[in-house]
Amino acid sequence: MKLPLRKILFAALLLAGPFAFAQKATVSGYITDAQTGETLIGAGVIEDGKGAVTNAYGFYTLTLAKGRHSLTFSYVGYAEQAVELDLRRDTTINVALRPGTTLKGATVMASKDAGIESTKMSAIELPMQLIKHAPVLFGEHDVLKTIQLMPGVQSGAEGFSGIYVRGGGPEENLLLLDGIPLYNAEHLMGILSVFQPEAVKKATLYKGSFPARYGGRISSIIDIRTNDGNLKEFHGSVGVSALTDKVHLEGPVIKDKLAFSLSGRALHSFLYTPLIHKMAGTPVNYYFYDLNAKLAWRISDRDRLFANFYNGRDIFYYKDEGDESDYSDSEYSTKTSSAARMDINWGNTLGGLRWNHVFSSKLFSNATLAYTRYRMHVGMDIMSEQRQKDLNTGVETRISDTFRFGYESGMRDLTAKMDFDYTPTPEHLVKFGAEYVYHTFIPETIGGYMKEYNSGNVSQSIDTTFNASVNDILKGHEISVYAEDDFTVWERLTLNPGLHAAFFHTQGTPYWSIEPRMSAKYDFGAGFSAKAAYSRMAQYVHLLSPSSITLPTDLWVPITDRIRPVTSDQASLGVYWNGLKGWEFSLEGYLKWMHNILEYRDGTSFFGNSANWQNNVEMGEGFARGVELFVEKKTGRATGWLGYTLAWSDRRFPDGSINGGEWFPYRYDRRHNVSLVFNYDFGHGLNASATWTFASGNTMTLPERQTVVLTPDGRLVQQSYVSGRNNYRLPPSHRLNLGLSWTRPKRRGEAVWDLSVYNAYNAMNPNFVFSDTYELYDSEGNMVDSGIRLEKLTILPFIPSIGWTRSF
């Protein structure tokens, strides 16, 4: 009897499958720093060109054939470590690497999340050494300022830390602190970011080819991971810069089991409040502070628990004790007094609890519960009092007026999510999970007025509370699920398909979003490769802001039953080469379509009041495109990079309510952006750095001339003529920053001096630009000329600074 060939093959597969599976085993574990016990993100383990990298929690997994193997564990800046093993069954191997001179980690082709070797494109990891050595403003090393030096990223206003990525706005960036969103990441109107470098372990920027696990924004993801704490011994540092005082402490609570990390910084004025009051002659001050705290508990090789907390605020207050005056005549004696008080404070509070669990050598999970809140409060009291005494009767009359104004807005999120990493074979890395977020938006303005009258035995008071502008507290429910697989099709081709699906419900209206993602990489050999990617993203919140800088009165509002989610489709293509030792070259191009974006209608604006905001905006479309060149030298004493971006970003509102329905340039449309970064290590602790940046000017709307218009009632009225939205381009800006860092070893720890010069050749770049109309008249009063005058304000000229840090 003959059996069909397909039945024979099927029977062979059934028999061979279990046999083949039985011939493999998995080695897994954590890779850490031998001196601190800190997990290393992106560390590699490799054998014969195949391997894996650690995830965001330092965990790796690698499936191999049973038998003898020689594994190499490595990480940039650490000495490699070789481990020989006879693999018979699934095995846990935790490896501790020691800092060394190795500059290049293990090359793992398929599963790195960022960088030139990754399947994903437009993803960049920023090493903390780079951030700590870059020339800085006021001696403050800043994560977001370093990100601005990357191609495709720019600042809104010159010198500020706002992030604008590939034609998008500041609200279109998702900033994550240990996986938890932050809604305001800037201090001092954007001059500094809230991320204290001493607390940061790693920063990763995604500006295209978004992994499926991320959603909620359309332009970029900035993922900041903080230190877990030293499990071996107590360490810390204190520092002083031109602006702030800072402290960082970490160490074991239970050695090798439970560690803490605590970081804090504050503006100098925080410590010298009494002196400032005395110098100013009245109670007044402005300061900000950041506080990061974290606990990491290694329960076992399978379970780890993390708790983290962040609180940061900007605080301004002013109190005028007022004047007192006395007046008397033959009948009355009168005393009057007045006082005023104002306080403004805004900032974030964030807390999270995370549990890592290893179900098996191939399945890793992370469960997160998180709370985040952004709150802004403005309070003002104006008080006056008049006391009048009748000299004949002795009756005293008192009249007091108190005007109280309070403005408060904010939002808070409660989040629960579950993430899984599944590695069935070295050729596959599967990530999947789900998330639920309960949003609460609080845009409102409240106020009150009280008047009190007393005369002899007669007393009367009027207490009036009013709501100048109130929007109902809005609720939103967001549910999302995702799955992605980074896998090797064959030796030269790797793919990363993914899908993010989201549901958002607000005001009785449901919105669904299906967001496919795809990345592909082909390795041609000799260090040359090409990548292509497509990402669809959706966003459910908007930021109402009247300015190009971060202001405390900026308001976050959700989508509504009338305002639909913002979506984007981005396609990108890139070529890469790292065939020259220590160098990397990349050239990427992108096309980005944006839908349901918001813009204020012509003739409307917003400043700290969200009342009827839906009536003042229109939904339209955007189109951005560009080319980005990135050349980086990564090894040797001299390192650095050259970044260049050629880009366009336009907007259109087809209903005609803005710019007549025609395309116009976005206000952050900058044609050219250049960043040149250089760092040189002289040895003996001496390091020099320089950055030079050039950027085309932003756009703004200006009247071009004055014209006379005949009104319906017969009057002649002079008006400004504007040909179109954003019709004027500001001049370009450029500056050179220089830095010198000197590290001196001490008996315990080290001392670091940082000298920086911001804007070394004092380029008078406009930080703010204002327009005004002018009229010139002759001696007889006749107007002989009129026009528009631009005035620029430069607040960041040549600024030298010095900083000192002492570690122990």
Side-chain angles (χ1 to χ4, degrees):
M1 181 178 64
K2 290 185 177 181
L3 291 174
L5 179 61
R6 63 181 181 179
K7 290 186 177 182
I8 296 174
L9 291 174
F10 181 69
L13 288 173
L14 287 177
L15 292 173
F19 178 77
F21 182 78
Q23 303 310 304
K24 292 183 178 293
T26 301
V27 57
S28 61
Y30 290 87
I31 302 178
T32 61
D33 183 309
Q35 296 180 351
T36 66
E38 189 82 42
T39 55
L40 301 178
I41 302 173
V45 52
I46 192 168
E47 186 199 45
D48 296 332
K50 292 184 178 181
V53 295
T54 56
N55 63 12
Y57 304 98
F59 181 79
Y60 76 93
T61 176
L62 180 62
T63 300
L64 300 167
K66 290 183 177 180
R68 301 194 65 84
H69 295 276
S70 178
L71 303 179
T72 300
F73 295 83
S74 68
Y75 189 65
V76 175
Y78 287 74
E80 291 184 352
Q81 183 173 329
V83 174
E84 303 287 338
L85 78 156
D86 188 3
L87 191 60
R88 299 293 182 183
R89 64 184 66 86
D90 289 352
T91 303
T92 298
I93 299 180
N94 296 324
V95 175
L97 300 180
R98 294 191 174 278
T101 57
T102 301
L103 293 172
K104 188 174 182 181
T107 300
V108 182
M109 302 300 291
S111 40
K112 280 186 69 66
D113 223 24
I116 198 169
E117 300 290 355
S118 169
T119 306
K120 303 175 184 67
M121 61 184 300
S122 309
I124 301 172
E125 292 178 350
L126 283 82
M128 288 310 301
Q129 285 300 109
L130 169 66
I131 295 171
K132 291 178 179 179
H133 284 149
V136 291
L137 175 63
F138 299 122
E140 293 291 333
H141 299 284
D142 195 287
V143 174
L144 296 188
K145 289 286 185 67
T146 306
I147 288 176
Q148 287 177 352
L149 298 173
M150 300 297 162
V153 184
Q154 60 169 295
S155 62
E158 165 65 21
F160 291 81
S161 59
I163 296 292
Y164 300 80
V165 180
R166 290 187 169 178
E171 76 280 8
E172 297 171 5
N173 307 302
L174 179 61
L175 288 96
L176 299 171
L177 187 63
D178 282 328
I180 305 172
L182 279 175
Y183 286 94
N184 184 297
E186 299 170 4
H187 288 306
L188 205 60
M189 296 188 299
I191 290 180
L192 296 176
S193 75
V194 302
F195 303 111
Q196 185 178 345
E198 290 80 7
V200 175
K201 179 194 295 188
K202 193 171 190 178
T204 306
L205 166 69
Y206 302 91
K207 52 183 177 169
S209 181
F210 299 103
R213 61 187 178 275
Y214 296 117
R217 300 293 189 276
I218 67 169
S219 285
S220 79
I221 310 294
I222 300 174
D223 193 351
I224 309 292
R225 298 287 168 168
T226 61
N227 294 316
D228 296 334
N230 194 316
L231 282 163
K232 304 295 184 181
E233 56 185 3
F234 179 81
H235 284 282
S237 66
V238 293
V240 179
S241 69
L243 283 181
T244 66
D245 305 284
K246 62 196 75 175
V247 62
H248 173 71
L249 303 172
E250 60 178 325
V253 179
I254 303 173
K255 190 173 182 180
D256 294 325
K257 282 290 185 181
L258 179 63
F260 77 92
S261 177
L262 181 66
S263 301
R265 70 171 176 179
L267 198 67
H268 294 316
S269 55
F270 176 78
L271 300 175
Y272 308 118
T273 297
L275 179 62
I276 293 173
H277 288 184
K278 185 175 181 179
M279 294 175 63
T282 187
V284 60
N285 202 355
Y286 165 79
Y287 60 89
F288 65 80
Y289 69 86
D290 295 298
L291 177 65
N292 289 273
K294 193 172 187 179
L295 282 174
W297 183 19
R298 297 189 177 181
I299 303 171
S300 67
D301 282 342
R302 287 188 175 272
D303 294 283
R304 303 191 177 201
L305 197 64
F306 303 87
N308 65 296
F309 172 81
Y310 167 79
N311 181 252
R313 299 200 72 76
D314 289 67
I315 297 171
F316 169 80
Y317 65 87
Y318 169 77
K319 186 175 182 180
D320 184 358
E321 302 292 351
D323 299 319
E324 293 188 359
S325 61
D326 296 330
Y327 172 76
S328 298
D329 57 21
S330 59
E331 296 183 4
Y332 296 99
S333 173
T334 305
K335 294 183 179 181
T336 61
S337 63
S338 63
R341 178 191 63 84
M342 171 179 283
D343 67 273
I344 307 174
N345 64 84
W346 66 97
N348 300 277
T349 300
L350 175 153
L353 187 66
R354 300 196 314 279
W355 171 41
N356 291 171
H357 179 67
V358 180
F359 284 95
S360 70
S361 57
K362 298 181 180 180
L363 182 61
F364 176 92
S365 70
N366 175 64
T368 302
L369 292 175
Y371 168 81
T372 183
R373 183 189 73 172
Y374 171 71
R375 177 178 177 268
M376 189 279 294
H377 169 79
V378 177
M380 183 172 63
D381 292 348
I382 301 175
M383 295 155 284
S384 64
E385 184 179 75
Q386 178 179 316
R387 292 177 179 270
Q388 190 174 68
K389 186 176 181 180
D390 190 321
L391 299 178
N392 298 319
T393 64
V395 176
E396 183 177 85
T397 302
R398 183 176 67 89
I399 301 175
S400 65
D401 291 277
T402 301
F403 176 81
R404 287 181 175 170
F405 171 81
Y407 175 91
E408 186 163 327
S409 71
M411 63 181 303
R412 59 180 179 264
D413 290 346
L414 290 172
T415 303
K417 65 178 178 177
M418 194 77 186
D419 301 292
F420 295 90
D421 289 1
Y422 177 57
T423 312
T425 69
E427 291 77 22
H428 287 263
L429 174 56
V430 181
K431 294 178 181 285
F432 61 96
E435 180 178 24
Y436 167 74
V437 184
Y438 177 55
H439 300 280
T440 303
F441 300 85
I442 312 169
E444 62 178 344
T445 302
I446 58 176
Y449 173 75
M450 182 174 69
K451 183 170 184 175
E452 187 174 351
Y453 173 84
N454 289 281
S455 179
N457 296 323
V458 179
S459 179
Q460 181 182 5
S461 65
I462 302 173
D463 190 347
T464 304
T465 300
F466 64 88
N467 291 325
S469 170
V470 176
N471 284 291
D472 294 334
I473 294 178
L474 301 175
K475 309 287 187 178
H477 300 270
E478 182 179 353
I479 301 172
S480 61
V481 295
Y482 73 89
E484 62 178 280
D485 183 11
D486 197 324
F487 67 94
T488 303
V489 179
W490 63 80
E491 185 178 355
R492 295 186 180 276
L493 178 64
T494 56
L495 300 177
N496 182 229
L499 182 67
H500 185 101
F503 168 78
F504 194 95
H505 185 273
T506 183
Q507 294 184 316
T509 305
Y511 291 97
W512 295 87
S513 176
I514 303 298
E515 305 165 31
R517 319 279 172 82
M518 170 61 82
S519 300
K521 176 190 174 185
Y522 188 83
D523 188 354
F524 293 94
F528 180 70
S529 61
K531 300 181 187 181
Y534 166 78
S535 293
R536 181 173 179 82
M537 303 289 282
Q539 179 169 330
Y540 307 101
V541 293
H542 302 282
L543 182 67
L544 302 182
S545 175
S547 173
S548 61
I549 62 173
T550 298
L551 295 175
T553 50
D554 294 349
L555 289 182
W556 286 96
V557 293
I559 60 171
T560 67
D561 52 354
R562 293 166 51 189
I563 303 297
R564 296 188 296 275
V566 182
T567 60
S568 71
D569 295 274
Q570 184 175 163
S572 47
L573 182 68
V575 291
Y576 311 83
W577 186 61
N578 62 352
L580 183 60
K581 185 177 180 180
W583 288 80
E584 291 184 355
F585 301 80
S586 68
L587 181 65
E588 296 183 353
Y590 67 90
L591 300 173
K592 181 178 177 182
W593 297 266
M594 294 161 279
H595 319 281
N596 301 328
I597 58 175
L598 297 186
E599 187 86 10
Y600 290 104
R601 291 179 176 176
D602 289 340
T604 63
S605 183
F606 154 83
F607 194 89
N609 189 333
S610 65
N612 304 314
W613 68 271
Q614 298 176 80
N615 299 326
N616 295 329
V617 297
E618 287 293 338
M619 290 186 296
E621 58 185 330
F623 180 49
R625 62 276 190 205
V627 178
E628 300 166 1
L629 173 69
F630 193 51
V631 179
E632 183 177 15
K633 186 177 186 297
K634 306 188 72 170
T635 62
R637 288 187 177 275
T639 58
W641 71 78
L642 168 67
Y644 170 70
T645 304
L646 174 65
W648 294 261
S649 183
D650 299 315
R651 301 288 188 267
R652 184 168 75 100
F653 295 81
D655 68 349
S657 61
I658 299 176
N659 204 54
E662 299 296 324
W663 285 97
F664 62 91
Y666 183 44
R667 61 173 170 166
Y668 301 111
D669 171 55
R670 282 180 162 170
R671 192 69 64 245
H672 305 281
N673 260 280
V674 181
S675 60
L676 181 61
V677 178
F678 177 77
N679 187 283
Y680 191 84
D681 184 0
F682 292 95
H684 306 289
L686 190 62
N687 189 284
S689 56
T691 62
W692 183 77
T693 60
F694 171 90
S696 300
N698 288 330
T699 63
M700 63 183 299
T701 303
L702 287 180
E704 297 170 38
R705 58 181 180 271
Q706 298 292 309
T707 186
V708 176
V709 177
L710 179 64
T711 63
D713 60 0
R715 294 182 299 113
L716 293 177
V717 179
Q718 184 171 289
Q719 292 186 353
S720 299
Y721 170 76
V722 179
S723 62
R725 178 72 66 95
N726 296 337
N727 59 340
Y728 180 79
R729 186 171 296 277
L730 296 168
S733 60
H734 52 88
R735 72 180 133 79
L736 173 68
N737 300 339
L738 301 174
L740 186 66
S741 175
W742 184 30
T743 303
R744 298 182 60 195
K746 298 294 184 179
R747 187 173 62 86
R748 180 174 172 83
E750 58 188 23
V752 180
W753 288 93
D754 284 309
L755 305 176
S756 292
V757 176
Y758 183 89
N759 198 358
Y761 52 79
N762 198 34
M764 300 304 287
N765 299 309
N767 299 109
F768 302 98
V769 177
F770 309 95
S771 64
D772 191 18
T773 59
Y774 70 90
E775 296 176 351
L776 297 178
Y777 296 85
D778 59 19
S779 58
E780 298 179 356
N782 300 313
M783 188 174 66
V784 295
D785 190 21
S786 66
I788 308 299
R789 177 171 49 225
L790 286 181
E791 296 182 3
K792 71 174 183 178
L793 175 63
T794 300
I795 64 172
L796 297 174
F798 174 88
I799 301 176
S801 60
I802 185 171
W804 173 81
T805 304
R806 177 68 166 89
S807 63
F808 50 87

